[in-house]
Amino acid sequence: MTSSTPSPEQIATPAAPAPGPEAPGGMSRQEVGQALSGLLLGMFVSLLASTIVSNALPRIIADLHGSQSVYTWVITAELLSMTAAVPLWGKMADLFSKKVLVQLSLGLFVCGSLIAGFAPNVEILIASRVLQGIGAGGINALAIIVLASMVPPREMGRYSGLFGAILGVATVTGPLIGGLLVDTSWLGWRWCFFIAVPLSLAAIALLQRTLHLPVMRRKVQIDWLGAALIILGVCTLLIWSTLAGDRYPWLSWQTAVLVTGGLLTLVLAVYVESRVPEPIIPLTLFRIRTMSLATLATAAVGVIMFGSGVFVSQYLQISQGRSPTMAGLMILPMVFGLLLASTYAGQQITRHGRWKPYLVVGAVLMTVGMALFATIDARTSIWPLFGYELVLGVGVGLLVQNLVLAVQNDVPVRNLGAATSTVSFFRSLGGAVGVNALGAVLAYRVTHQLGTAAGGHGSTRVPKLSELPAPVLAAVQDAYGTATAHMFLIGTPVAAIALLAIVFIKEKPLHTQSGDQRRATETAAATPQ
């Protein structure tokens, strides 16, 4: 052991040897693989909670005697709380034991799942979804942060591709699993929530046995005021984007109040964050070009990833008349594309140390995939659809985790948790706002195209196809096909924004030290000799 401290340039050079299986302060590949088993399981279950109830909602609302007004809130409550909680979990990861935080978030998720499964009415169900969302936000943010603590960025691709695959698979297959549970008479919709309990407990047990990280606590106070303002501002804007176009017009006094209030709250949050020593989202991070551009690109990816999964499924069910289960199966090419691209890119990045080409290719394919979907209609055959899904899935798969990798490689290690959670936060935020905005575009086009010609179905209400006479059914299916294509056309420039941002990201050599090793190195360098 030498007494000299390597410079950041020496650490980052691609010629430097990667730490071996027994590197001091590091973890062997076997230890990393064991720890990942619990992280991946927990992440999959938490992500599944966001989508698994979508096909079960009609049965849930009917059984609990809920009204149409609470229909979307079963999903929105979980999404709001998950998105808003991510920055706080990330900041705590920089201050406290990551292992304890992961297990705590899984524990909160289990409690929320149990309450949801036994919910006697919609009010308790919605409250339980908030608890689920807080836990899920912690799991999703902390899993990537823990991986960065164990693995150097140069080796990250070997494992991060699995996280991207889990994210995509859970997002797209959730509705399929939910539909199967509802259609199975001896299970029912409550198992959409109960299924998470044994899997989450198994993840907690696995992490207790396999995850061993050094705890480097810092005696600081968390900026609770800043956290509250961020959560309040974001939730206000998300509530606006959820309700606008449905409960009230986009241009209305409700819009003015919610948008103005949300933006003013966020401006106040920025002011508070700029004045405290330990902000939830360190504003200095956005002085780093990679951080700013990757955050912009990630928000665009969130719009595309969540939106494509939701609206392609709806298109297949309404415009093409597929059953929920069949629609879930027909989205598998997108899942396979994402899984294969994410895994392959991760392996190649670890082998060669180059990451930007995969981001550029992914952004190009994502943009092309959106443009291809802009050509569909109600009569598009299955094979072109499979091709479009594959292109879009590959594009998203090349981007999701590699954008996180670019950020983790370029930010100071003391802000690794905050930076990682910020990227995840903006991906979720982009998904939440994007899905609602694209949904509003879709609803407007359907309403405009149908008018009153389809027997009063020129409204934003999703029709029951089995109740429509043949002429009206054909009109509704044509309207949804055309409107879906128009929606993807509107979304194509969003994908192009991601491409533009990625082009200007500067590729930097990947570090060959893990997050914990880099922290020890930076601490030693800052300590007076």
Side-chain angles (χ1 to χ4, degrees), residues 180-188:
L180 290 173
L181 289 172
V182 171
D183 291 338
T184 304
S185 59
W186 51 276
L187 291 174

Side-chain angles (χ1 to χ4, degrees), residues 150-294:
M150 298 187 297
V151 179
R154 178 61 188 265
E155 295 288 315
M156 188 80 76
R158 190 185 307 278
Y159 309 99
S160 63
L162 296 174
F163 283 83
I166 289 292
L167 177 63
V169 171
T171 300
V172 179
T173 60
L176 172 61
I177 297 174
L180 290 173
L181 289 172
V182 171
D183 291 338
T184 304
S185 59
W186 51 276
L187 291 174
W189 64 263
R190 293 185 183 274
W191 275 94
C192 290
F193 305 109
F194 287 146
I195 193 174
V197 175
L199 296 177
S200 298
L201 292 176
I204 293 174
L206 279 172
L207 289 168
Q208 183 62 33
R209 293 184 57 187
T210 61
L211 183 59
H212 306 289
L213 295 174
V215 180
M216 299 182 181
R217 297 184 178 91
R218 287 187 283 159
K219 293 183 178 180
V220 297
Q221 290 185 342
I222 294 178
D223 176 25
W224 295 109
L225 176 59
L229 290 172
I230 292 172
I231 291 172
L232 179 60
V234 169
C235 285
T236 301
L237 293 178
L238 288 178
I239 290 171
W240 162 71
S241 68
T242 300
L243 301 181
D246 181 18
R247 306 289 181 83
Y248 47 79
W250 285 92
L251 297 178
S252 63
W253 69 266
Q254 293 95 333
T255 290
V257 170
L258 289 174
V259 171
T260 302
L263 292 178
L264 288 177
T265 303
L266 290 178
V267 169
L268 182 58
V270 170
Y271 175 79
V272 171
E273 291 284 272
S274 67
R275 301 285 176 172
V276 297
E278 288 289 343
I280 299 298
I281 301 178
L283 301 181
T284 54
L285 288 175
F286 292 101
R287 298 175 185 171
I288 303 172
R289 185 169 71 172
T290 300
M291 180 72 190
S292 299
L293 293 174

Side-chain angles (χ1 to χ4, degrees), residues 169 329 331-342 390 393-394:
V169 171
L329 292 172
I331 296 181
L332 288 180
M334 191 182 300
V335 178
F336 289 142
L338 193 151
L339 173 63
L340 294 175
S342 180
L390 188 62
V394 169

Side-chain angles (χ1 to χ4, degrees), residues 119-471:
N121 53 56
V122 291
E123 290 80 13
I124 291 180
L125 178 62
I126 291 173
S128 69
R129 292 287 284 173
V130 172
L131 189 57
Q132 271 191 313
I134 295 173
I139 300 164
N140 296 337
L142 293 166
I144 307 299
I145 295 169
V146 169
L147 180 64
S149 297
M150 298 187 297
V151 179
R154 178 61 188 265
E155 295 288 315
M156 188 80 76
R158 190 185 307 278
Y159 309 99
S160 63
L162 296 174
F163 283 83
I166 289 292
L167 177 63
V169 171
T171 300
V172 179
T173 60
L176 172 61
I177 297 174
L180 290 173
L181 289 172
V182 171
D183 291 338
T184 304
S185 59
W186 51 276
L187 291 174
W189 64 263
R190 293 185 183 274
W191 275 94
C192 290
F193 305 109
F194 287 146
I195 193 174
V197 175
L199 296 177
S200 298
L201 292 176
I204 293 174
L206 279 172
L207 289 168
Q208 183 62 33
R209 293 184 57 187
T210 61
L211 183 59
H212 306 289
L213 295 174
V215 180
M216 299 182 181
R217 297 184 178 91
R218 287 187 283 159
K219 293 183 178 180
V220 297
Q221 290 185 342
I222 294 178
D223 176 25
W224 295 109
L225 176 59
L229 290 172
I230 292 172
I231 291 172
L232 179 60
V234 169
C235 285
T236 301
L237 293 178
L238 288 178
I239 290 171
W240 162 71
S241 68
T242 300
L243 301 181
D246 181 18
R247 306 289 181 83
Y248 47 79
W250 285 92
L251 297 178
S252 63
W253 69 266
Q254 293 95 333
T255 290
V257 170
L258 289 174
V259 171
T260 302
L263 292 178
L264 288 177
T265 303
L266 290 178
V267 169
L268 182 58
V270 170
Y271 175 79
V272 171
E273 291 284 272
S274 67
R275 301 285 176 172
V276 297
E278 288 289 343
I280 299 298
I281 301 178
L283 301 181
T284 54
L285 288 175
F286 292 101
R287 298 175 185 171
I288 303 172
R289 185 169 71 172
T290 300
M291 180 72 190
S292 299
L293 293 174
T295 298
L296 176 61
T298 297
V301 171
V303 174
I304 305 305
M305 182 176 69
F306 288 101
S308 60
V310 170
F311 295 114
V312 171
S313 177
Q314 185 185 55
Y315 161 79
L316 291 170
Q317 292 185 54
I318 296 180
S319 190
Q320 297 218 340
R322 313 286 181 177
S323 68
T325 300
M326 181 57 67
L329 292 172
M330 289 180 66
I331 296 181
L332 288 180
M334 191 182 300
V335 178
F336 289 142
L338 193 151
L339 173 63
L340 294 175
S342 180
T343 304
Y344 174 79
Q347 295 290 338
Q348 294 303 308
I349 289 172
T350 294
R351 182 174 301 171
H352 302 293
R354 299 291 306 280
W355 49 267
K356 185 174 178 178
Y358 298 99
L359 293 181
V360 174
V361 172
V364 169
L365 290 177
M366 186 173 69
T367 306
V368 170
M370 293 292 288
L372 289 173
F373 267 108
T375 66
I376 63 175
D377 57 33
R379 286 166 292 279
T380 302
S381 63
I382 188 172
W383 296 112
L385 284 176
F386 282 175
Y388 303 165
E389 289 180 27
L390 188 62
V391 171
L392 189 57
V394 169
V396 173
L398 291 174
L399 290 172
V400 175
Q401 290 307 317
N402 292 329
L403 283 168
V404 178
L405 172 64
V407 168
Q408 290 177 332
N409 186 61
D410 204 20
V411 299
V413 72
R414 68 181 181 277
N415 291 324
L416 189 62
T420 303
S421 64
T422 298
V423 174
S424 299
F425 168 74
F426 277 97
R427 182 174 59 229
S428 297
L429 184 62
V433 175
V435 166
N436 284 293
L438 292 177
V441 171
L442 177 68
Y444 173 79
R445 291 292 298 182
V446 169
T447 304
H448 178 74
Q449 188 160 337
L450 285 177
T452 59
H457 287 281
S459 69
T460 58
R461 184 176 66 87
V462 178
K464 292 184 178 180
L465 301 186
S466 60
E467 298 177 355
L468 300 179

